[in-house]
Amino acid sequence: MPRVLVPALTTPPARPVGGRVRAFGGATMGTTWSVKAVLPATTDLPALEAMVQRALDAIVREMSPWEPLSDLSRYNRAAAGSWTPLPPATATVLRRAIAVAEASGGAFDPTLGALTDLWGFGPRPFSGGPPLATDIAPLREAGGWKRLTLDGDALFQPGGLKLDLNGIAKGFGVDQAAAALDRAGVKSYLVEVGGELRGVGAKPDGQPWWVELERPPPHGLAANDAERTVVALHALAVATSGDYRRFFDHDGRRYAHTLDPATGAPTINSTVSVTVLAEDCMSADAWATALTVMGPDAALAFAAARGLAALIVSRSPAQGQNEGGLEERLSPALRAMLDA
């Protein structure tokens, strides 16, 4: 039987009347997006799909490092000592990124753009292997979220600072897609962008939007180490950071795309994945990245202290035939959903 998580609700979601679940989707941010929504038969589905697509296209246009004309790319090329006006949405994302960076002691850092490129996880062509330490050091010293100065919606370029919002922008995309549905008057929906989700309302049968939390692939480990976990996603978002999503292997070692700001290199702790549930997906996305960098023990303590609902999956120490198995840690806020 799967493990079932139910968030505490002051009022249950209203059961929609006069509609059925309809699905649509598209492509964005190098991945796909999808929506399941309870809609009347008369709904103009192509128009609704186009509305969501426009909201997601705006994020790519503003925040993608792969788009040379994006506002983020324009800032990254800006001369030292200059100010770059940011679109309101980009400034909103950056303010949240700075807040998470400060709260996490720099485990989350939105200024790793140059290092992301160096490691082959950005727009720059991949070299085929890890970079030299002598190449990492100057870029790590040139970065750092504490060098960011945001005055209103204008961002100062101190010189050599390159933003990378990939650890938060996809979650923001989920929120923006949800906002587009809200503006269209949709009351019950499930939005997904590249595996990150947000649910609102209930289905016509009164059931919530049940989703299974992402589990790491076997990786040569025991496939049944982790239980299946499903959650009722009402007024709730979920994001997962995992070392299996983007990586490269070199000389028998895996280099995952999540970089540790303290070293300027991919994380080397035993964390395999971190899933965070939050009211908005932008926050869930950023916290999942930060907790991944911290490592399992520190992440669990941090999540407990801040009331974050987190599922932390790590490689367990060798234990006989279970060598290299998976170990799960549930934060108190997530464990409370089991008792709801």
Side-chain angles (χ1 to χ4, degrees):
M1 292 292 292
R3 180 167 49 196
V4 178
L5 303 176
V6 179
L9 299 175
T10 53
T11 57
R15 181 172 177 172
V17 178
R20 61 184 177 89
V21 176
R22 304 178 72 182
F24 52 95
T28 187
M29 304 181 196
T31 185
T32 60
W33 66 269
S34 64
V35 170
K36 294 179 181 177
V38 180
L39 301 170
T42 56
T43 300
D44 186 342
L45 208 59
L48 191 59
E49 180 180 303
M51 183 182 298
V52 174
Q53 187 69 62
R54 283 195 299 271
L56 293 169
D57 289 348
I59 297 171
V60 173
R61 189 168 57 248
E62 294 180 14
M63 306 179 206
S64 173
W66 281 269
E67 295 291 334
L69 299 180
S70 71
D71 295 274
L72 181 142
S73 295
R74 185 164 51 87
Y75 171 79
N76 289 345
R77 292 192 303 266
S82 65
W83 288 86
T84 299
L86 300 178
T90 304
T92 294
V93 172
L94 186 57
R95 276 191 287 269
R96 182 65 60 85
I98 292 171
V100 174
E102 182 175 15
S104 66
F108 182 86
D109 192 327
T111 68
L112 301 181
L115 287 164
T116 299
D117 284 347
L118 183 67
W119 280 95
F121 296 118
R124 202 170 83 172
F126 178 46
S127 67
L132 299 174
T134 51
D135 293 328
I136 296 172
L139 298 184
R140 185 173 62 82
E141 293 170 3
W145 67 273
K146 291 184 179 180
R147 297 189 72 205
L148 290 169
T149 302
L150 188 61
D151 185 0
D153 288 352
L155 183 62
F156 183 68
Q157 174 57 271
L161 205 56
K162 292 189 71 174
L163 292 179
D164 178 5
L165 299 177
N166 288 329
I168 191 172
K170 189 165 62 171
F172 182 69
V174 172
D175 295 333
Q176 289 297 91
L181 295 170
D182 291 340
R183 289 194 298 271
V186 182
K187 302 299 184 184
S188 182
Y189 55 80
L190 178 67
V191 175
E192 178 266 339
V193 178
E196 324 293 32
L197 302 114
R198 181 169 175 171
V200 170
K203 293 184 285 187
D205 61 2
Q207 286 290 313
W209 298 102
W210 290 106
V211 300
E212 182 175 349
L213 298 187
E214 185 175 312
R215 291 192 296 168
H219 278 308
L221 310 178
N224 295 321
D225 282 351
E227 295 181 59
R228 289 180 60 237
T229 303
V230 296
V231 58
L233 213 60
H234 171 61
L236 202 62
V238 58
T240 298
S241 174
D243 70 356
Y244 50 86
R245 283 190 162 185
R246 292 178 61 206
F247 62 89
F248 67 86
D249 292 320
H250 183 80
D251 286 344
R253 178 183 165 186
R254 170 161 295 181
Y255 295 87
H257 76 283
T258 301
L259 304 183
D260 183 347
T263 64
T267 56
I268 58 173
N269 59 55
S270 62
T271 301
V272 176
S273 70
V274 175
T275 297
V276 174
L277 281 70
E279 291 184 1
D280 64 281
C281 204
M282 174 170 60
S283 297
D285 199 6
W287 284 124
T289 300
L291 295 179
T292 297
V293 170
M294 292 178 190
D297 294 334
L300 182 63
F302 185 88
R306 293 194 66 91
L308 297 175
L311 173 63
I312 303 158
V313 181
S314 59
R315 295 177 183 84
S316 60
Q319 294 178 352
Q321 293 184 346
N322 194 39
E323 181 174 353
L326 296 180
E327 180 179 354
E328 288 187 328
R329 294 170 170 87
L330 279 68
S331 71
L334 191 70
R335 194 172 294 279
M337 294 186 189
L338 292 171
D339 302 323

